[in-house]
Amino acid sequence: MFISVFVACALLGAIVGFFAGLLGIGGGLIIVPVLVYLLPLLGISAELAFPMALATSLASIIFTSSSAAFAHHKNGNIPWSIAKKLVVTVAIGAVLGAIIAGLLSLKALTIIFASAVLILAAYMFLSIKVERSVALPNNWVLKIIGLITGVLASLMGIAGGAILVPILMYCSLTMRQAIGVATASGIIVALFGALGYVVIGFGREELPPWSIGYIYLPALLGIVLTSSLFAPLGVKAGANLPLRYLKKGFALFLMLVALKMIWW
């Protein structure tokens, strides 16, 4: 089973990496639904498959977000004075999200994930432009934004950039700064969210071998190995392809996946 899962997730990682480089989307939106369908085929119950998909997605994001954040830091795209204000509450929110996920039923998790994906995909499909409108809020408002982002991102198995970037751009940050802050925050979301899923899954006897809590190592290794290799290929391909239409097509695909999950 280890080898078959590893190979399947290596292929998944290649797809995730390519589309992340091509469209600038977070891998969790692809990883979670694929693992939700893949893991039950390997004898893992659907009730375990969903939190395992979320945990494994977050664990893989630790690696991808770290690489991206380092690049943004080198380019001076991360205003650390803002990022530091989000760190603590994003971490708390990520842990809370994992705890909440452990308490929810499979149906509830599915509806939360699919509904959030529908909203994000509709946002992408409509190509909504966020105009800078208001000044950066005070520290407490930023901390609340970080907390909500952490909870939602952990419940979805994503880094949280799709949530945080539009909000920060609305609050007068440039796109590069917003992406930089979101990428740095994504490391914290992924790290503490994954740790939360490790803790709540620790000691569950029904988890398959090669699991650390809800994190499934064969899937994680396969995804991490290939996603980093194929991301640069996606970036290169993006120079010659009509990204506007590709993004709309991908958003439509995400909507169909989300609707299928709701009526699964």
PDB file of all heavy atoms in Angstrom, residues 78-108:
ATOM      1  N   ILE A  78       7.678  41.218   2.045  1.00  0.00           N
ATOM      2  CA  ILE A  78       6.965  40.932   3.295  1.00  0.00           C
ATOM      3  C   ILE A  78       7.162  42.072   4.292  1.00  0.00           C
ATOM      4  O   ILE A  78       8.252  42.246   4.841  1.00  0.00           O
ATOM      5  CB  ILE A  78       7.452  39.616   3.946  1.00  0.00           C
ATOM      6  CG1 ILE A  78       7.335  38.458   2.962  1.00  0.00           C
ATOM      7  CG2 ILE A  78       6.643  39.326   5.213  1.00  0.00           C
ATOM      8  CD1 ILE A  78       7.850  37.135   3.514  1.00  0.00           C
ATOM      9  N   PRO A  79       6.140  42.884   4.539  1.00  0.00           N
ATOM     10  CA  PRO A  79       6.223  43.889   5.613  1.00  0.00           C
ATOM     11  C   PRO A  79       6.089  43.190   6.970  1.00  0.00           C
ATOM     12  O   PRO A  79       4.974  42.921   7.435  1.00  0.00           O
ATOM     13  CB  PRO A  79       5.045  44.821   5.314  1.00  0.00           C
ATOM     14  CG  PRO A  79       4.092  44.008   4.510  1.00  0.00           C
ATOM     15  CD  PRO A  79       4.876  42.964   3.788  1.00  0.00           C
ATOM     16  N   TRP A  80       7.207  42.871   7.575  1.00  0.00           N
ATOM     17  CA  TRP A  80       7.197  42.025   8.779  1.00  0.00           C
ATOM     18  C   TRP A  80       6.479  42.677   9.953  1.00  0.00           C
ATOM     19  O   TRP A  80       5.984  41.984  10.838  1.00  0.00           O
ATOM     20  CB  TRP A  80       8.627  41.662   9.173  1.00  0.00           C
ATOM     21  CG  TRP A  80       9.234  40.652   8.252  1.00  0.00           C
ATOM     22  CD1 TRP A  80      10.170  40.861   7.276  1.00  0.00           C
ATOM     23  CD2 TRP A  80       8.906  39.255   8.187  1.00  0.00           C
ATOM     24  NE1 TRP A  80      10.447  39.695   6.621  1.00  0.00           N
ATOM     25  CE2 TRP A  80       9.702  38.700   7.152  1.00  0.00           C
ATOM     26  CE3 TRP A  80       8.033  38.440   8.907  1.00  0.00           C
ATOM     27  CZ2 TRP A  80       9.639  37.345   6.825  1.00  0.00           C
ATOM     28  CZ3 TRP A  80       7.962  37.099   8.583  1.00  0.00           C
ATOM     29  CH2 TRP A  80       8.763  36.558   7.548  1.00  0.00           C
ATOM     30  N   SER A  81       6.407  43.995   9.958  1.00  0.00           N
ATOM     31  CA  SER A  81       5.689  44.667  11.045  1.00  0.00           C
ATOM     32  C   SER A  81       4.220  44.259  11.051  1.00  0.00           C
ATOM     33  O   SER A  81       3.585  44.178  12.115  1.00  0.00           O
ATOM     34  CB  SER A  81       5.807  46.185  10.905  1.00  0.00           C
ATOM     35  OG  SER A  81       5.271  46.603   9.660  1.00  0.00           O
ATOM     36  N   ILE A  82       3.663  43.995   9.872  1.00  0.00           N
ATOM     37  CA  ILE A  82       2.273  43.543   9.767  1.00  0.00           C
ATOM     38  C   ILE A  82       2.179  42.040   9.990  1.00  0.00           C
ATOM     39  O   ILE A  82       1.305  41.549  10.705  1.00  0.00           O
ATOM     40  CB  ILE A  82       1.686  43.921   8.393  1.00  0.00           C
ATOM     41  CG1 ILE A  82       1.676  45.448   8.220  1.00  0.00           C
ATOM     42  CG2 ILE A  82       0.277  43.358   8.228  1.00  0.00           C
ATOM     43  CD1 ILE A  82       1.303  45.902   6.831  1.00  0.00           C
ATOM     44  N   ALA A  83       3.094  41.303   9.382  1.00  0.00           N
ATOM     45  CA  ALA A  83       3.072  39.844   9.506  1.00  0.00           C
ATOM     46  C   ALA A  83       3.180  39.401  10.961  1.00  0.00           C
ATOM     47  O   ALA A  83       2.491  38.465  11.389  1.00  0.00           O
ATOM     48  CB  ALA A  83       4.211  39.235   8.683  1.00  0.00           C
ATOM     49  N   LYS A  84       4.013  40.090  11.739  1.00  0.00           N
ATOM     50  CA  LYS A  84       4.205  39.707  13.151  1.00  0.00           C
ATOM     51  C   LYS A  84       2.923  39.884  13.970  1.00  0.00           C
ATOM     52  O   LYS A  84       2.706  39.176  14.953  1.00  0.00           O
ATOM     53  CB  LYS A  84       5.328  40.531  13.761  1.00  0.00           C
ATOM     54  CG  LYS A  84       6.713  40.154  13.244  1.00  0.00           C
ATOM     55  CD  LYS A  84       7.792  41.073  13.803  1.00  0.00           C
ATOM     56  CE  LYS A  84       9.164  40.720  13.245  1.00  0.00           C
ATOM     57  NZ  LYS A  84      10.208  41.653  13.718  1.00  0.00           N
ATOM     58  N   LYS A  85       2.075  40.835  13.557  1.00  0.00           N
ATOM     59  CA  LYS A  85       0.822  41.053  14.286  1.00  0.00           C
ATOM     60  C   LYS A  85      -0.181  39.924  14.068  1.00  0.00           C
ATOM     61  O   LYS A  85      -1.104  39.739  14.849  1.00  0.00           O
ATOM     62  CB  LYS A  85       0.198  42.390  13.864  1.00  0.00           C
ATOM     63  CG  LYS A  85       1.039  43.602  14.242  1.00  0.00           C
ATOM     64  CD  LYS A  85       0.452  44.888  13.679  1.00  0.00           C
ATOM     65  CE  LYS A  85       1.332  46.083  14.017  1.00  0.00           C
ATOM     66  NZ  LYS A  85       0.817  47.344  13.427  1.00  0.00           N
ATOM     67  N   LEU A  86      -0.002  39.180  12.974  1.00  0.00           N
ATOM     68  CA  LEU A  86      -0.930  38.104  12.647  1.00  0.00           C
ATOM     69  C   LEU A  86      -0.487  36.750  13.180  1.00  0.00           C
ATOM     70  O   LEU A  86      -1.316  35.838  13.330  1.00  0.00           O
ATOM     71  CB  LEU A  86      -1.082  37.998  11.117  1.00  0.00           C
ATOM     72  CG  LEU A  86      -1.748  39.180  10.411  1.00  0.00           C
ATOM     73  CD1 LEU A  86      -1.537  39.075   8.905  1.00  0.00           C
ATOM     74  CD2 LEU A  86      -3.233  39.229  10.727  1.00  0.00           C
ATOM     75  N   VAL A  87       0.807  36.608  13.450  1.00  0.00           N
ATOM     76  CA  VAL A  87       1.398  35.285  13.718  1.00  0.00           C
ATOM     77  C   VAL A  87       0.712  34.539  14.851  1.00  0.00           C
ATOM     78  O   VAL A  87       0.315  33.371  14.704  1.00  0.00           O
ATOM     79  CB  VAL A  87       2.910  35.426  14.005  1.00  0.00           C
ATOM     80  CG1 VAL A  87       3.459  34.141  14.611  1.00  0.00           C
ATOM     81  CG2 VAL A  87       3.661  35.738  12.728  1.00  0.00           C
ATOM     82  N   VAL A  88       0.555  35.175  15.994  1.00  0.00           N
ATOM     83  CA  VAL A  88       0.046  34.473  17.186  1.00  0.00           C
ATOM     84  C   VAL A  88      -1.394  34.009  16.980  1.00  0.00           C
ATOM     85  O   VAL A  88      -1.725  32.840  17.229  1.00  0.00           O
ATOM     86  CB  VAL A  88       0.148  35.364  18.439  1.00  0.00           C
ATOM     87  CG1 VAL A  88      -0.507  34.674  19.634  1.00  0.00           C
ATOM     88  CG2 VAL A  88       1.605  35.671  18.753  1.00  0.00           C
ATOM     89  N   THR A  89      -2.251  34.907  16.521  1.00  0.00           N
ATOM     90  CA  THR A  89      -3.665  34.523  16.395  1.00  0.00           C
ATOM     91  C   THR A  89      -3.897  33.569  15.213  1.00  0.00           C
ATOM     92  O   THR A  89      -4.797  32.737  15.272  1.00  0.00           O
ATOM     93  CB  THR A  89      -4.572  35.762  16.254  1.00  0.00           C
ATOM     94  OG1 THR A  89      -4.082  36.589  15.191  1.00  0.00           O
ATOM     95  CG2 THR A  89      -4.598  36.554  17.543  1.00  0.00           C
ATOM     96  N   VAL A  90      -3.080  33.677  14.169  1.00  0.00           N
ATOM     97  CA  VAL A  90      -3.165  32.707  13.073  1.00  0.00           C
ATOM     98  C   VAL A  90      -2.834  31.311  13.594  1.00  0.00           C
ATOM     99  O   VAL A  90      -3.504  30.326  13.258  1.00  0.00           O
ATOM    100  CB  VAL A  90      -2.204  33.099  11.921  1.00  0.00           C
ATOM    101  CG1 VAL A  90      -1.928  31.913  11.006  1.00  0.00           C
ATOM    102  CG2 VAL A  90      -2.802  34.224  11.088  1.00  0.00           C
ATOM    103  N   ALA A  91      -1.797  31.228  14.434  1.00  0.00           N
ATOM    104  CA  ALA A  91      -1.408  29.938  15.022  1.00  0.00           C
ATOM    105  C   ALA A  91      -2.522  29.376  15.901  1.00  0.00           C
ATOM    106  O   ALA A  91      -2.873  28.186  15.811  1.00  0.00           O
ATOM    107  CB  ALA A  91      -0.123  30.095  15.832  1.00  0.00           C
ATOM    108  N   ILE A  92      -3.097  30.238  16.749  1.00  0.00           N
ATOM    109  CA  ILE A  92      -4.192  29.803  17.623  1.00  0.00           C
ATOM    110  C   ILE A  92      -5.378  29.346  16.782  1.00  0.00           C
ATOM    111  O   ILE A  92      -5.999  28.307  17.046  1.00  0.00           O
ATOM    112  CB  ILE A  92      -4.614  30.947  18.572  1.00  0.00           C
ATOM    113  CG1 ILE A  92      -3.478  31.270  19.557  1.00  0.00           C
ATOM    114  CG2 ILE A  92      -5.889  30.572  19.343  1.00  0.00           C
ATOM    115  CD1 ILE A  92      -3.715  32.523  20.373  1.00  0.00           C
ATOM    116  N   GLY A  93      -5.712  30.125  15.753  1.00  0.00           N
ATOM    117  CA  GLY A  93      -6.823  29.770  14.881  1.00  0.00           C
ATOM    118  C   GLY A  93      -6.604  28.446  14.176  1.00  0.00           C
ATOM    119  O   GLY A  93      -7.533  27.637  14.044  1.00  0.00           O
ATOM    120  N   ALA A  94      -5.368  28.183  13.731  1.00  0.00           N
ATOM    121  CA  ALA A  94      -5.061  26.931  13.040  1.00  0.00           C
ATOM    122  C   ALA A  94      -5.256  25.731  13.959  1.00  0.00           C
ATOM    123  O   ALA A  94      -5.812  24.701  13.554  1.00  0.00           O
ATOM    124  CB  ALA A  94      -3.636  26.961  12.500  1.00  0.00           C
ATOM    125  N   VAL A  95      -4.819  25.856  15.207  1.00  0.00           N
ATOM    126  CA  VAL A  95      -5.007  24.765  16.169  1.00  0.00           C
ATOM    127  C   VAL A  95      -6.490  24.573  16.465  1.00  0.00           C
ATOM    128  O   VAL A  95      -6.987  23.441  16.522  1.00  0.00           O
ATOM    129  CB  VAL A  95      -4.230  25.046  17.472  1.00  0.00           C
ATOM    130  CG1 VAL A  95      -4.549  23.991  18.533  1.00  0.00           C
ATOM    131  CG2 VAL A  95      -2.730  25.070  17.203  1.00  0.00           C
ATOM    132  N   LEU A  96      -7.213  25.689  16.645  1.00  0.00           N
ATOM    133  CA  LEU A  96      -8.657  25.611  16.889  1.00  0.00           C
ATOM    134  C   LEU A  96      -9.380  24.942  15.720  1.00  0.00           C
ATOM    135  O   LEU A  96     -10.297  24.142  15.911  1.00  0.00           O
ATOM    136  CB  LEU A  96      -9.235  27.014  17.117  1.00  0.00           C
ATOM    137  CG  LEU A  96      -8.972  27.661  18.471  1.00  0.00           C
ATOM    138  CD1 LEU A  96      -9.504  29.088  18.477  1.00  0.00           C
ATOM    139  CD2 LEU A  96      -9.599  26.850  19.591  1.00  0.00           C
ATOM    140  N   GLY A  97      -8.946  25.277  14.500  1.00  0.00           N
ATOM    141  CA  GLY A  97      -9.556  24.673  13.323  1.00  0.00           C
ATOM    142  C   GLY A  97      -9.397  23.165  13.315  1.00  0.00           C
ATOM    143  O   GLY A  97     -10.336  22.428  12.982  1.00  0.00           O
ATOM    144  N   ALA A  98      -8.203  22.686  13.695  1.00  0.00           N
ATOM    145  CA  ALA A  98      -7.959  21.238  13.764  1.00  0.00           C
ATOM    146  C   ALA A  98      -8.841  20.594  14.832  1.00  0.00           C
ATOM    147  O   ALA A  98      -9.408  19.516  14.620  1.00  0.00           O
ATOM    148  CB  ALA A  98      -6.486  20.969  14.051  1.00  0.00           C
ATOM    149  N   ILE A  99      -8.958  21.254  15.985  1.00  0.00           N
ATOM    150  CA  ILE A  99      -9.786  20.717  17.075  1.00  0.00           C
ATOM    151  C   ILE A  99     -11.253  20.654  16.640  1.00  0.00           C
ATOM    152  O   ILE A  99     -11.950  19.658  16.870  1.00  0.00           O
ATOM    153  CB  ILE A  99      -9.632  21.579  18.346  1.00  0.00           C
ATOM    154  CG1 ILE A  99      -8.214  21.449  18.901  1.00  0.00           C
ATOM    155  CG2 ILE A  99     -10.651  21.161  19.411  1.00  0.00           C
ATOM    156  CD1 ILE A  99      -7.895  22.418  20.017  1.00  0.00           C
ATOM    157  N   ILE A 100     -11.720  21.729  15.999  1.00  0.00           N
ATOM    158  CA  ILE A 100     -13.109  21.759  15.518  1.00  0.00           C
ATOM    159  C   ILE A 100     -13.340  20.642  14.505  1.00  0.00           C
ATOM    160  O   ILE A 100     -14.366  19.958  14.539  1.00  0.00           O
ATOM    161  CB  ILE A 100     -13.435  23.131  14.901  1.00  0.00           C
ATOM    162  CG1 ILE A 100     -13.441  24.217  15.991  1.00  0.00           C
ATOM    163  CG2 ILE A 100     -14.794  23.101  14.190  1.00  0.00           C
ATOM    164  CD1 ILE A 100     -13.481  25.636  15.446  1.00  0.00           C
ATOM    165  N   ALA A 101     -12.373  20.451  13.600  1.00  0.00           N
ATOM    166  CA  ALA A 101     -12.505  19.400  12.589  1.00  0.00           C
ATOM    167  C   ALA A 101     -12.628  18.027  13.242  1.00  0.00           C
ATOM    168  O   ALA A 101     -13.378  17.167  12.762  1.00  0.00           O
ATOM    169  CB  ALA A 101     -11.294  19.418  11.654  1.00  0.00           C
ATOM    170  N   GLY A 102     -11.899  17.826  14.350  1.00  0.00           N
ATOM    171  CA  GLY A 102     -11.974  16.547  15.060  1.00  0.00           C
ATOM    172  C   GLY A 102     -13.314  16.308  15.716  1.00  0.00           C
ATOM    173  O   GLY A 102     -13.674  15.154  15.990  1.00  0.00           O
ATOM    174  N   LEU A 103     -14.073  17.378  15.960  1.00  0.00           N
ATOM    175  CA  LEU A 103     -15.376  17.263  16.623  1.00  0.00           C
ATOM    176  C   LEU A 103     -16.535  17.158  15.637  1.00  0.00           C
ATOM    177  O   LEU A 103     -17.630  16.747  16.011  1.00  0.00           O
ATOM    178  CB  LEU A 103     -15.606  18.477  17.536  1.00  0.00           C
ATOM    179  CG  LEU A 103     -14.604  18.670  18.686  1.00  0.00           C
ATOM    180  CD1 LEU A 103     -14.873  19.995  19.396  1.00  0.00           C
ATOM    181  CD2 LEU A 103     -14.683  17.508  19.670  1.00  0.00           C
ATOM    182  N   LEU A 104     -16.286  17.541  14.393  1.00  0.00           N
ATOM    183  CA  LEU A 104     -17.362  17.585  13.401  1.00  0.00           C
ATOM    184  C   LEU A 104     -17.565  16.240  12.725  1.00  0.00           C
ATOM    185  O   LEU A 104     -16.642  15.437  12.608  1.00  0.00           O
ATOM    186  CB  LEU A 104     -17.052  18.646  12.337  1.00  0.00           C
ATOM    187  CG  LEU A 104     -17.041  20.108  12.800  1.00  0.00           C
ATOM    188  CD1 LEU A 104     -16.607  21.009  11.653  1.00  0.00           C
ATOM    189  CD2 LEU A 104     -18.412  20.529  13.312  1.00  0.00           C
ATOM    190  N   SER A 105     -18.774  16.032  12.247  1.00  0.00           N
ATOM    191  CA  SER A 105     -19.070  14.824  11.489  1.00  0.00           C
ATOM    192  C   SER A 105     -18.500  14.946  10.085  1.00  0.00           C
ATOM    193  O   SER A 105     -18.143  16.042   9.630  1.00  0.00           O
ATOM    194  CB  SER A 105     -20.590  14.614  11.397  1.00  0.00           C
ATOM    195  OG  SER A 105     -21.180  15.662  10.629  1.00  0.00           O
ATOM    196  N   LEU A 106     -18.437  13.824   9.380  1.00  0.00           N
ATOM    197  CA  LEU A 106     -17.961  13.826   7.995  1.00  0.00           C
ATOM    198  C   LEU A 106     -18.817  14.747   7.138  1.00  0.00           C
ATOM    199  O   LEU A 106     -18.294  15.513   6.323  1.00  0.00           O
ATOM    200  CB  LEU A 106     -17.992  12.396   7.445  1.00  0.00           C
ATOM    201  CG  LEU A 106     -17.696  12.242   5.946  1.00  0.00           C
ATOM    202  CD1 LEU A 106     -16.297  12.732   5.619  1.00  0.00           C
ATOM    203  CD2 LEU A 106     -17.892  10.793   5.525  1.00  0.00           C
ATOM    204  N   LYS A 107     -20.128  14.690   7.316  1.00  0.00           N
ATOM    205  CA  LYS A 107     -21.039  15.521   6.521  1.00  0.00           C
ATOM    206  C   LYS A 107     -20.787  17.004   6.758  1.00  0.00           C
ATOM    207  O   LYS A 107     -20.732  17.799   5.815  1.00  0.00           O
ATOM    208  CB  LYS A 107     -22.486  15.174   6.863  1.00  0.00           C
ATOM    209  CG  LYS A 107     -23.521  15.868   5.973  1.00  0.00           C
ATOM    210  CD  LYS A 107     -23.411  15.404   4.535  1.00  0.00           C
ATOM    211  CE  LYS A 107     -24.499  16.028   3.665  1.00  0.00           C
ATOM    212  NZ  LYS A 107     -24.352  15.640   2.244  1.00  0.00           N
ATOM    213  N   ALA A 108     -20.615  17.374   8.019  1.00  0.00           N
ATOM    214  CA  ALA A 108     -20.371  18.779   8.344  1.00  0.00           C
ATOM    215  C   ALA A 108     -19.053  19.267   7.749  1.00  0.00           C
ATOM    216  O   ALA A 108     -18.979  20.364   7.188  1.00  0.00           O
ATOM    217  CB  ALA A 108     -20.367  18.968   9.862  1.00  0.00           C
TER     218      ALA A 108
END
